[in-house]
Amino acid sequence: MTTDPGATPGTTPNTTAAPTSGVPSVPPAGRAVRGTIGVTLAVLAVVFIAVNLRPGATALGPVLAEVSASLEIDGTVAGVITALPGLMFGLVGFVAVSLGRRAGLSLTIALSLIVMVLGLLLRPFAPSIWVFIPFTALALAGMAVGNVLVPAWIKRHGGGRTVALMTLYSMFLTVGGSAGSGLAAPLAEAAGTTLSAGDPAEGWRWSLGFWGLAAVVPLVLWLLVARRTGHDFPGTPPQDEPDRPLRSSPTAVFLMVLFGVQSMNAYVQFGWLPQMYRDAGLDATLAGALLSVVAALGVVGGLVMPTVIDRSRTLAPWMIGFGIATAGGWAGMLLAPAEGGLWWAILLGLGGFAFPTAIALIPARSRQPHVTARLSGFVQPYGYIVAAVGPMAVGLIHAATENWTLVLILLACSGLVMALAGLRVSARVYVDDEITVQRG
């Protein structure tokens, strides 16, 4: 396992960049979407892949009880299932940049969508948990590649529209997550009464399978994009010395921590928050609706945060607010989960603004497209490994204590960690400057 997927030598030089007075010039920020791809196709491709990169993971939480009953699994195995998104996003994310370098960003994203569609369409037919888990992992592997490469693709092709495309990407990423959680229980209920041959308990299969069909749309769009772009992995500018590894950049490391802790909170919410509400006495549909409130507020965050980042000298007040909201939401779930359920969902949703912020900071804290690709391949895989610990630990602690008290105390404390990491990346600092070897 490499510690920096983009640091390996041998990348194709960017022939458009010529050195001046011994100092390598900065290559263009990215090919404008008006050229080879076209603005309309670029926007559609970004929007539809963003919508489909989360439902395969978020749709599972609201129907986890039904899946567990149908496949006869206990709380420990359920914890493993809820940990799979973070685990697969992390492990597969480590190789995403290398795959993108070999096949090109656009083609690799298109191929990852093929893998995702296959996994999402096959897992509803799983007769046992031992078939369900591999197909889920296959779908998540396809999503993982998109997670890492789409921000790099936007930096490469966005040109003057980079902020606008990142805004669309961040916003519709959360739209998809919200749709997955909000529609899961209603789709399962409707399918259980009309499509499940008299067995309403099997409606979850149709609910999960719906997202495999939906993912065919971005697959077609990205095949068109790949045909038009060819090999489009950004080359590195000529230089005498290779860049330092990204672990030497404080901005990269703390951005990874911010991303990881927020993602951990997000996947605990996707996997366990509906069950917390159900244990407090709410029904499955209302529990899924409250989770969709959390995810829907992320839509607002995705809409506003890329512009806030682009225009702000510091994000410190925002980062403190994200941490306080996250801690307050989990504390409320501990004190009055049913009575104040909507308020705690709103607080957790506001704390979730940290997720589109971390995503948007990847291109915002890097100048050159090849650094963006490396940074995305560092922040997201390691961050998702951190995120994978959360849902699994929640399952184990809950199974051991048979209540949510310790879980909620630990989650409230994570808000403080998130705020501290966010403060470190608040200033307008570029990773390029922190990893460039200074020459005399």
Side-chain angles (χ1 to χ4, degrees):
M1 181 181 296
T2 59
T3 56
D4 180 358
T8 54
T11 55
T12 304
N14 187 338
T15 57
T16 62
T20 304
S21 303
V23 179
S25 61
V26 177
R31 189 192 314 164
V33 297
R34 191 181 298 277
T36 305
I37 304 170
V39 176
T40 301
L41 180 57
V43 169
L44 290 175
V46 168
V47 166
F48 277 96
I49 194 171
V51 168
N52 283 274
L53 283 180
R54 289 294 180 271
T58 63
L60 184 55
V63 295
L64 184 59
E66 288 73 19
V67 174
S68 299
S70 180
L71 301 181
E72 299 180 347
I73 61 177
D74 58 21
T76 301
V77 177
V80 172
I81 294 175
T82 58
L84 269 179
L87 184 63
M88 292 303 299
F89 288 174
L91 294 178
V92 178
F94 282 118
V95 302
V97 174
S98 296
L99 293 173
R101 181 182 293 111
R102 292 183 180 184
L105 294 174
S106 298
L107 180 58
T108 304
I109 293 170
L111 294 175
S112 74
L113 283 166
I114 294 176
V115 172
M116 186 178 82
V117 168
L118 287 175
L120 291 176
L121 288 178
L122 291 174
R123 86 170 165 178
F125 297 99
S128 72
I129 190 61
W130 308 114
V131 179
F132 183 86
I133 288 179
F135 284 148
T136 298
L138 184 68
L140 293 169
M143 298 177 209
V145 175
N147 285 336
V148 172
L149 295 188
V150 172
W153 186 92
I154 291 173
K155 186 75 169 185
R156 175 71 177 88
H157 294 285
R161 296 179 176 84
T162 296
V163 173
L165 287 175
M166 277 307 302
T167 300
L168 289 172
Y169 177 67
S170 299
M171 181 175 67
F172 281 97
L173 199 65
T174 51
V175 167
S178 177
S181 59
L183 295 177
L187 284 175
E189 183 178 355
T193 57
T194 60
L195 300 173
S196 294
D199 188 358
E202 295 297 293
W204 65 266
R205 297 182 186 272
W206 299 92
S207 177
L208 295 183
F210 169 81
W211 298 107
L213 296 175
V216 173
V217 176
L219 170 58
V220 172
L221 290 171
W222 279 91
L223 288 172
L224 291 174
V225 169
R227 183 178 179 181
R228 296 191 182 187
T229 60
H231 191 284
D232 56 350
F233 190 87
T236 57
Q239 54 187 34
D240 298 329
E241 299 285 346
D243 288 337
R244 295 188 182 96
L246 284 174
R247 64 177 180 273
S248 66
S249 164
T251 299
V253 170
F254 281 96
L255 182 54
M256 180 271 291
V257 174
L258 172 66
F259 183 90
V261 175
Q262 167 52 33
S263 296
M264 180 197 70
N265 274 274
Y267 284 104
V268 168
Q269 292 161 14
F270 294 150
W272 290 108
L273 186 60
Q275 192 62 48
M276 293 177 186
Y277 279 126
R278 293 179 73 172
D279 287 349
L282 304 183
D283 62 33
T285 300
L286 181 55
L290 288 172
L291 177 58
S292 71
V293 170
V294 178
L297 280 169
V299 176
V300 181
L303 180 63
V304 303
M305 291 313 298
T307 300
V308 169
I309 292 168
D310 188 54
R311 297 180 179 179
S312 299
R313 299 179 66 88
T314 179
L315 299 173
W318 291 88
M319 297 300 184
I320 294 172
F322 299 156
I324 292 173
T326 298
W330 290 124
M333 286 296 297
L334 175 62
L335 298 174
E339 296 83 353
L342 177 59
W343 295 109
W344 316 140
I346 291 173
L347 281 177
L348 291 174
L350 293 174
F353 275 35
F355 178 75
T357 300
I359 289 288
L361 281 173
I362 292 173
R365 291 295 180 260
S366 54
R367 289 195 180 96
Q368 301 183 35
H370 81 280
V371 176
T372 303
R374 289 180 58 194
L375 183 60
S376 188
F378 175 82
V379 167
Q380 296 202 61
Y382 281 111
Y384 279 123
I385 292 295
V386 173
V389 175
M392 186 177 297
V394 167
L396 293 173
I397 294 172
H398 181 253
T401 62
E402 299 184 352
N403 61 62
W404 296 108
T405 302
L406 181 56
V407 167
L408 291 169
I409 291 173
L410 293 173
L411 289 171
C413 292
S414 73
L416 174 62
V417 177
M418 191 168 68
L420 293 175
L423 287 173
R424 182 57 184 79
V425 298
S426 296
R428 191 180 289 271
V429 177
Y430 294 95
V431 171
D432 311 50
D433 300 330
E434 296 178 336
I435 64 173
T436 299
V437 176
Q438 299 297 324
R439 290 171 288 275

